[in-house]
Amino acid sequence: MVNDLLLVAGASNGVLLAFRELSVLELASVCINLTLLLVLLFIESARCVAVCCGGTRLWKDNLDGSAVDISQNGVADGEEVRDVVIGKRYKASASCCFYVLLVYVFVLVYDGIGLIREGAQGESGNSAWTVLLLPAALSLAWFVLSFSVLYCKYKAAEKCPLLLRVWWIASFIICLCMLCADGKGFLEEGSDQLDSHVLANIIVTPAFAFLCFVAAGGATGIQISSNSGLQEPLLLEEEAGCLKVTPYSEAGLFSLISLSWLDPLLSIGAKRPLELKDIPLLAPKDRSKANYKILNSSWEKLKAENPRKPPSLAWAILKSFWKEAWRNGIFAGLNTLVSYVGPYMISYFVDYLCGKQSYPNEGYVLAGILFAAKLVETITTRQWYLGVDIMGMHVRSALTAMVYRKGLRLSSSARQNHTSGEIVNYMAVDVQRVGDFAWYLHDIWMLPLQIILALAILYKNVGIASLATLIATVVSIIATVPVARIQESYQDKLMAAKDDRMRKTSECLRNMRILKSQAWEDRYRLILEEMRTVEFKYLQKALYSQAFITFIFWSSPIFVSAITFGTCILLGGQLTAGSVLSALATFRILQEPLRNFPDLVSMLAQTKVSLDRISGFLQEEELPEDAITTLPRGISNVAIEIKNGDFCWDQSSPTSTLSNIHIKVEKGMRVAVCGVVGSGKSSFLSCILGEIPKISGEVRICGSAAYVSQSAWIQSGNIEENILFGSPMDKAKYKSVIHACSLKKDLELFSHGDQTIIGDRGINLSGGQKQRVQLARALYQDADIYLLDDPFSAVDAHTGSELFKEYILTALAAKTVVFVTHQVEFLPAADLILVMKEGQIIQAGIYDELLQAGTDFNTLVEAHHEAIEAMDFCNLVSEESDENDNLKSLVTVEMPNSASITGLAKEVQEGVSSSEQKAIKEKKKAKRSRKKQLVQDEERERGRVSMKVYLSYMTAAYKGLLIPLIILAQTMFQVLQIASSWWMAWANPQTVGDEPKTGSMMLIGVYMALAFGSSWFIFIRAVLVATFGLAAAQKLFLKMLRTVFRAPMSFFDSTPSGRILNRVSIDQSVVDLDIPFRLGGFAATTIQLLGIIGVMTQVTWVVLLLVIPMAIACVWMQKYYMASSRELVRIVSIQKSPIIHLFAESIAGAATIRGFGQEKRFMKRNLYLLDCFARPFFCSVAAIEWLCLRMELLSTFVFAFCVVLLVSLPAGSIDPSMAGLAVTYGLNMNNRLSRWILSFCKLENKIISIERIHQYCHIPNEAPSVIEDSRPPSSWPENGTIQLIDLRIRYKESLPVVLHGVSCIFPGGKKIGIVGRTGSGKSTMIQALFRLIEPEGGRIIIDNIDISTIGLHDLRNRLSIIPQDPTLFEGTIRDNLDPLAEHPDQDIWQALDKSQLGDVVRQKEQKLDTPVLENGDNWSVGQRQLVSLGRALLKQARILVLDEATASVDSATDNLIQKIIRSEFKDCTVCTIAHRIPTVIDSDMVLVLSDGRVAEYDTPARLLEDKSSMFLKLVSEYSSRSSGVPDF
């Protein structure tokens, strides 16, 4: 008992003695800090107790009531929305607190290591531990203080808590007192007084001074601005998101280095999925417009300097962005220099551990140098990489804008050399590749620099043998030249094959309706699969040659090191463990540039190809600006004048398209242009617009022009945007335009009025509605000259008459109008009629003059009158002429609930009941609701990428069997690499003069066996990765392609083609070329990192104590980062689609855009979309660097700890060779760790491409092509009877019904005419017949077989259609008539002759192999319609549908076609939709549709007898306007 008491008393005395060793100030500091810590803990505990007990708050959050509790979305509990702004004062305060904490933790670690060392040498006394008391207490105190400051941010406190301010002031006072005492001691005792505590006190003084200043003021630097709670938070967020510029533009030095300017965005991303509105705008200098101007200016200067020599696009890019390249070059150079400090210092480090000490504390100095070098390397790497990404972004934006601008200006001959698919590829693939080259730009000069530095270090270690290193390196590099050339040729061929496939894919998507109607989709899908097979062949060669290059270059450092060590031994040089480890570390660094060299060579080759392609495109011929002379409005009375004009689309052709054109049009004249199909009418309008190349002559126009094309070009967007076309809204003018274009009734019945989103290429508008939207667009522009290309062909007789009266005769009464028309009845109202034939104006004059002159004009008019006479109801018209005014009241059809009819294709009766108007108003209220629109915003997944996506990819090839083999090969490589390094470190003597542990031949032999063995495993891995990637990519592509081609028509109607093209081009390229290597790279980096940690822990197990928390921190940071990164990458993918879509759309409508002079507006739109893409892209790449910086800093501190630990251990307690090996591997640790995280993040970001492809692999299929158990007989349909039973149709579940219970029977072998107002549901009924739309209710029965019970191909193969929009596919005339190659040439010629095209094709050199350009652009619309007729003649189906088939041909050709159809299809059921009454008047039965219901169905004779008949009204309208003397 007494002994125990004595022991306790002794211990107490020991503690007291130990405390006496502390100075009074140090003891005071410990006591004050611990007391304040206890006070803080007491306050927080009391608060928690009060909250738990439900008591009242005894004090305010910050003792002066300034804290505001802010919820996650930044909204206070009150009614106000609060914006929290974090100021520089707060950031500086937080930085100072963490800086002080870091200093004290460092002192604690330093003192602790010193204590361990003394203990190991037996020098420390019992009281030595007191040295840790002060840094431990201060570390604990400042840890709490630092997080208290962070808590202020969380609580959005504008004032600092009182306790915090007291603590800071007390700390500063103690610090000053200590400085005084230390200063006095230094003067008395000299440098002996200096220790870690004194130095720490000096270092933290400035931080304490600043914190004392903040404490005196009391403000935290956090500001809260209040906004009225009356506004909706959502709108407020959008505004903030749209107007806020990225903090990067004004960030301070510390913020730029630490990338902390990104913190606000990442914190939002951690709380909820990011949206585009959350992402700040780019700084003005980073925006597309600024970069486009710079690059365009450089390009134009280069072109002007030497017009004969083609300018260099690469040089233009370098001239434009040299400042950025230079800045990045400085970071890259500095990074390269400091990366060689480690290898250089290792030999000194091993010498020190062996006991060679040159000066006091050499070990710590070496550790400090290694730490500083790694720190600088980390910071410069991140700045360099971010700079490279920003430069790449600038180049991509500028080049995309230049390609887009060029696309709008291409001449017609240049346009024929580049299809829209190719131009999209220039933007999607080539521009991307040129931008990506920014990563490789500095490698060109860095590679020689790295080799020189490596040789210098090697010369120090192995002497003259370093020359062998140089030779081996040069040989390694030269060996890649032939392989690079092979790679370039494969890349060329791969790109060409991709272009072809994209062109064909684009064409198929545009014309999917016709492919499905004709049951050709399988044939065209096979064509695409064949094209993919060609592309895949080059992809295989490219990937396997890449695998071979990977093998060569992983072997290169091994080859170089073996040659170096071998030469050194042969020359009798003395290798030591230090020199070997230094050399190995150098080789490891040299491995990067050598391994990157094949990428550099390959990238140089690819970039050169892409630059040449873009440069070639940018140098293509543009439409000459002097093609037409445009005079200002009012300067002349002559609106259009053409003198001696000769024009030709193909300048190499011996004959002109238009010749001897000589015309003068006075201001305010109405000029009609007529002629047979292919006579040059549309080309005549093109020459006025300056679209067609001018061979000779002069074209002059006075004032602005507006153009309406024959094939309607409608933009994606809503109807209002299409009509305004960039002009500001003027309500009165807008209403009058709607009235003049007869669009009012259509808009009233659209669910969303003029806010209805139009599908891809106006898919959800009828042909007539598209044409009238075009006319409205032209009228709203208020131009001086109107050029209208056959504007009345797509509308019915009544609407056509109304349009002519309201639009041309009224709205354009004071304007100059030139209109092409086949409607002879409109010609008498023209002031001048031009008759065209074979590209010449053969007659010009007014109607009566031309009639008297006879010839060609007479032929056209007579053909028209023949058609009218065939109707044989003149007497009826005369009887009814007095009653025309009363017809409207007579023609009424009961239509309850008319308001529920869809806005997809409708016009209503003129008398709309009040109940219907009320319903219409209800619908107008729903304008804001986007849910019921046909086209929805592109869908994206949210949150983590599903594990299913990874598994679907990994099991796509060989059921995933290659994955374990790839991992095994990589593991064997890593094991053999470490074994070879360990062998060299172990076998060589530690210092000069020691005996080696093995013979020199044995040494080099084992090393080479291990090293070259490892390189073979890398070859196996590369081949396996390529094999896996190829198989998976092909499987995914084919699955997506087949699913898309089997999708129902509704999918294509509601999905802009840009979205599908984005997946089959960009996403597929990522899967082809990127993902397999990302997967292999991730496996490789993971195994390398485990190898490094394994080597370091083998030497010093204590490192594990730091590695485990570091790994936890890394995983936490990675999760925090990925929450934002995933959404950013998804937003980037989605923002890419609108750019591609605008590209494709603008190229298709380039003539209309130029006709309206809207190039600048479309250019602005393109720049805006590029910025919408660049915003998330910029944040995405910055986020990667943000993460890597933090990862590398963590690993740098772990490495520094490891080095300090090795230096601090007593001499002899560790093998110096093994310690050196640990440092050699540790030097690479921060690089590998960031690579590991980066490769995982990039893999997940790239996997999003598979996720997007996956979406399109699971589109619901349409009905089966063939149902084996339910196949119709081969002779079906024999009779051709069609029964419609209560047919109800809607386009989409969320949209209203289009056809309301239609019931009727079309007898077999009869001619059925289907008529009705524009948009009454005629085309919808035909789509239901072909099952392009599945009915919601009711049935269609053909010859006693319900068509819903048989396969789609069995149905569509037995039906034939000549569609409203004639479609030709790129290829030849033979391919277009007979794509399935089922008919001999003789039959094809017969079909051509019958469709009036035989002579035209015979005149061509290549006959049936005459080329057809994209969209059939080298054939007139009328000729395209005749080709469609030829297809039907070849197919000889029992049921033929003509959907406005002759709308685009003149009356004479129409009459001829009708005769052919009557003779060739006399035993067939022919369903004809037509606006021209003569086309249907001789039908056996006529069906009149009105607003999706059957209004009338009977024989024409009976319908004409019934005075209340709607058909009679249509006939009367047509005949009255066609009687030759219009009553307009």
Side-chain angles (χ1 to χ4, degrees), residues 649-951:
W649 288 112
D650 182 5
Q651 288 174 302
S652 60
S653 169
T655 55
S656 299
T657 309
L658 299 173
S659 55
N660 302 322
I661 304 294
H662 197 88
I663 185 175
K664 187 184 280 190
V665 178
E666 298 283 334
K667 189 179 173 189
M669 276 179 78
R670 274 193 296 277
V671 181
V673 184
C674 58
V676 296
V677 170
S679 58
K681 302 182 295 297
S682 297
S683 297
F684 174 70
L685 294 187
S686 294
C687 83
I688 298 171
L689 287 165
E691 291 288 320
I692 181 168
K694 183 172 68 179
I695 296 167
S696 63
E698 188 184 351
V699 182
R700 186 180 293 146
I701 68 168
C702 179
S704 59
Y707 171 61
V708 174
S709 59
Q710 189 172 8
S711 300
W713 177 73
I714 303 289
Q715 266 190 288
S716 295
N718 63 37
I719 294 170
E720 184 190 283
E721 287 165 3
N722 266 280
I723 294 173
L724 297 182
F725 206 54
S727 300
M729 169 59 93
D730 176 340
K731 284 284 183 189
K733 182 176 166 186
Y734 184 73
K735 279 185 180 174
S736 66
V737 166
I738 297 292
H739 171 72
C741 297
S742 309
L743 275 169
K744 191 177 180 188
K745 294 169 190 172
D746 298 80
L747 294 183
E748 282 175 346
L749 281 165
F750 277 133
S751 309
H752 304 270
D754 60 3
Q755 300 304 306
T756 299
I757 302 284
I758 298 171
D760 208 12
R761 303 180 309 283
I763 206 88
N764 51 333
L765 298 180
S766 72
Q769 285 168 330
K770 278 192 248 184
Q771 196 64 280
R772 282 178 291 136
V773 168
Q774 275 212 121
L775 288 165
R777 175 169 65 204
L779 182 57
Y780 195 84
Q781 297 306 305
D782 197 21
D784 301 307
I785 299 166
Y786 282 79
L787 305 171
L788 315 176
D789 196 350
D790 201 8
F792 310 114
S793 61
V795 295
D796 61 67
H798 168 73
T799 312
S801 304
E802 208 171 277
L803 270 178
F804 192 78
K805 186 178 173 185
E806 295 291 341
Y807 193 88
I808 289 183
L809 298 183
T810 309
L812 300 181
K815 307 288 185 183
T816 309
V817 183
V818 180
F819 65 97
V820 171
T821 188
H822 290 300
Q823 276 84 351
V824 172
E825 59 272 20
F826 296 141
L827 297 179
D831 301 319
L832 177 65
I833 299 168
L834 305 178
V835 184
M836 300 203 67
K837 185 178 182 182
E838 295 173 357
Q840 295 189 340
I841 299 173
I842 55 164
Q843 285 178 287
I846 59 170
Y847 186 77
D848 293 334
E849 282 175 12
L850 294 179
L851 267 184
Q852 289 162 11
T855 66
D856 291 79
F857 182 69
N858 231 358
T859 314
L860 287 170
V861 175
E862 279 169 12
H864 174 66
H865 286 316
E866 268 178 46
I868 298 298
E869 283 158 20
M871 290 157 60
D872 192 27
F873 58 90
C874 295
N875 57 340
L876 196 77
V877 175
S878 62
E879 282 175 29
E880 294 300 319
S881 58
D882 298 331
E883 298 179 30
N884 267 348
D885 294 337
N886 303 322
L887 263 173
K888 287 173 189 173
S889 58
L890 292 171
V891 184
T892 53
V893 178
E894 211 172 314
M895 284 184 289
N897 193 21
S898 169
S900 68
I901 296 167
T902 181
L904 284 172
K906 291 295 143 295
E907 278 210 24
V908 283
Q909 294 291 101
E910 289 186 10
V912 182
S913 70
S914 60
S915 63
E916 288 170 338
Q917 286 188 347
K918 192 177 178 184
I920 288 164
K921 283 180 183 176
E922 292 289 317
K923 285 190 174 175
K924 284 189 174 179
K925 284 182 185 176
K927 273 186 185 179
R928 285 190 171 196
S929 151
R930 290 281 303 260
K931 287 180 184 175
K932 290 190 178 181
Q933 295 278 26
L934 178 69
V935 181
Q936 296 292 328
D937 288 340
E938 186 166 0
E939 69 288 348
R940 68 176 168 111
E941 303 291 333
R942 280 175 167 74
R944 290 199 62 169
V945 176
S946 163
M947 205 61 211
K948 282 182 186 173
V949 177
Y950 284 97
L951 290 172

Side-chain angles (χ1 to χ4, degrees), residues 235-535:
L235 296 173
L236 220 141
E237 268 181 26
E238 281 176 0
E239 283 299 307
C242 292
L243 299 176
K244 193 168 63 179
V245 175
T246 174
Y248 175 73
S249 55
E250 294 177 357
L253 184 65
F254 177 76
S255 183
L256 286 173
I257 290 171
S258 64
L259 301 174
S260 56
W261 55 267
L262 199 64
D263 289 350
L265 184 70
L266 294 179
S267 68
I268 294 170
K271 291 170 189 168
R272 60 172 170 78
L274 289 174
E275 302 292 343
L276 183 63
K277 65 175 183 278
D278 298 318
I279 300 166
L281 300 174
L282 293 173
K285 67 182 175 62
D286 292 324
R287 289 178 199 166
S288 307
K289 185 178 178 181
N291 295 301
Y292 161 69
K293 280 184 174 176
I294 294 166
L295 182 58
N296 196 49
S297 164
S298 302
W299 175 248
E300 293 301 331
K301 277 180 192 169
L302 281 179
K303 276 164 68 175
E305 279 170 15
N306 193 345
R308 291 180 187 174
K309 185 183 169 191
S312 163
L313 183 59
W315 183 238
I317 291 169
L318 209 57
K319 274 181 77 175
S320 305
F321 302 105
W322 69 270
K323 284 181 184 173
E324 288 178 60
W326 177 249
R327 189 165 56 245
N328 293 338
I330 290 170
F331 283 123
L334 188 59
N335 180 267
T336 304
L337 291 171
V338 294
S339 67
Y340 278 92
V341 169
Y344 181 78
M345 302 300 292
I346 278 180
S347 55
Y348 294 109
F349 190 78
V350 174
D351 287 348
Y352 171 78
L353 292 180
C354 290
K356 287 186 176 179
Q357 191 169 349
S358 308
Y359 49 88
N361 294 325
E362 184 188 358
Y364 292 112
V365 171
L366 288 172
I369 292 170
L370 286 171
F371 173 68
K374 291 310 286 180
L375 201 60
V376 173
E377 186 186 343
T378 296
I379 291 165
T380 52
T381 305
R382 302 300 34 116
Q383 293 301 317
W384 168 28
Y385 285 2
L386 182 61
V388 160
D389 274 322
I390 292 170
M391 183 181 166
M393 178 180 81
H394 289 168
V395 172
R396 276 192 294 274
S397 296
L399 269 181
T400 306
M402 283 179 74
V403 170
Y404 180 80
R405 177 175 159 276
K406 189 73 182 185
L408 290 180
R409 292 185 172 189
L410 276 189
S411 70
S412 60
S413 54
R415 181 73 183 78
Q416 290 174 18
N417 300 333
H418 306 272
T419 63
S420 55
E422 281 175 357
I423 298 172
V424 167
N425 252 2
Y426 296 145
M427 185 275 297
V429 180
D430 293 299
V431 166
Q432 180 73 29
R433 197 171 277 165
V434 174
D436 289 347
F437 187 71
W439 277 93
Y440 297 87
L441 182 65
H442 298 294
D443 287 358
I444 298 166
W445 60 267
M446 276 168 56
L447 187 70
L449 175 65
Q450 285 170 314
I451 291 169
I452 290 164
L453 289 171
L455 288 172
I457 293 171
L458 288 168
Y459 183 76
K460 173 180 140 328
N461 290 312
V462 297
I464 201 73
S466 58
L467 280 175
T469 310
L470 177 62
I471 294 162
T473 305
V474 171
V475 168
S476 297
I477 290 169
I478 291 170
T480 60
V481 175
V483 186
R485 284 189 180 153
I486 294 167
Q487 273 281 87
E488 185 176 359
S489 74
Y490 289 153
Q491 281 295 337
D492 273 350
K493 288 168 183 169
L494 181 63
M495 286 309 300
K498 187 184 279 295
D499 278 351
D500 291 342
R501 175 174 64 81
M502 283 305 298
R503 186 167 66 241
K504 202 70 186 172
T505 307
S506 179
E507 184 178 60
C508 289
L509 293 175
R510 270 200 313 274
N511 303 313
M512 189 55 77
R513 188 173 296 277
I514 193 78
L515 290 183
K516 286 191 176 289
S517 307
Q518 302 278 13
W520 290 346
E521 71 266 37
D522 281 353
R523 169 72 187 135
Y524 277 83
R525 178 178 56 74
L526 288 171
I527 290 171
L528 282 176
E529 286 182 13
E530 284 164 17
M531 291 176 126
R532 170 67 179 177
T533 305
V534 174
E535 182 189 355

Side-chain angles (χ1 to χ4, degrees), residues 50-99:
V51 169
C52 292
C53 299
T56 54
R57 290 165 67 177
L58 302 174
W59 43 75
K60 295 175 185 176
D61 272 341
N62 59 359
L63 304 180
D64 61 4
S66 64
V68 180
D69 198 8
I70 301 289
S71 63
Q72 278 193 353
N73 61 359
V75 180
D77 293 336
E79 288 185 10
E80 287 188 330
V81 177
R82 296 175 179 267
D83 288 336
V84 179
V85 180
I86 306 299
K88 289 181 179 176
R89 176 187 285 239
Y90 173 80
K91 289 176 183 176
S93 304
S95 301
C96 285
C97 287
F98 278 100
Y99 166 72

Side-chain angles (χ1 to χ4, degrees), residues 1064-1141:
V1064 295
S1065 62
I1066 296 170
D1067 289 318
Q1068 188 59 45
S1069 286
V1070 169
V1071 176
D1072 285 345
L1073 299 163
D1074 234 9
I1075 290 179
F1077 295 109
R1078 295 268 176 224
L1079 208 59
F1082 176 65
T1085 321
T1086 307
I1087 292 161
Q1088 279 180 315
L1089 192 61
L1090 290 172
I1092 290 169
I1093 292 169
V1095 169
M1096 288 175 76
T1097 51
Q1098 170 66 28
V1099 176
T1100 52
W1101 66 267
V1102 184
V1103 171
L1104 264 182
L1105 298 176
L1106 269 187
V1107 166
I1108 291 166
M1110 181 189 79
I1112 293 166
C1114 284
V1115 169
W1116 178 82
M1117 274 195 282
Q1118 185 263 338
K1119 279 188 176 176
Y1120 181 77
Y1121 154 82
M1122 277 313 294
S1124 301
S1125 174
R1126 259 193 309 267
E1127 303 311 320
L1128 286 170
V1129 171
R1130 284 175 177 142
I1131 294 169
V1132 167
S1133 298
I1134 285 172
Q1135 291 304 319
K1136 191 83 175 172
S1137 296
I1139 299 172
I1140 294 176
H1141 188 67

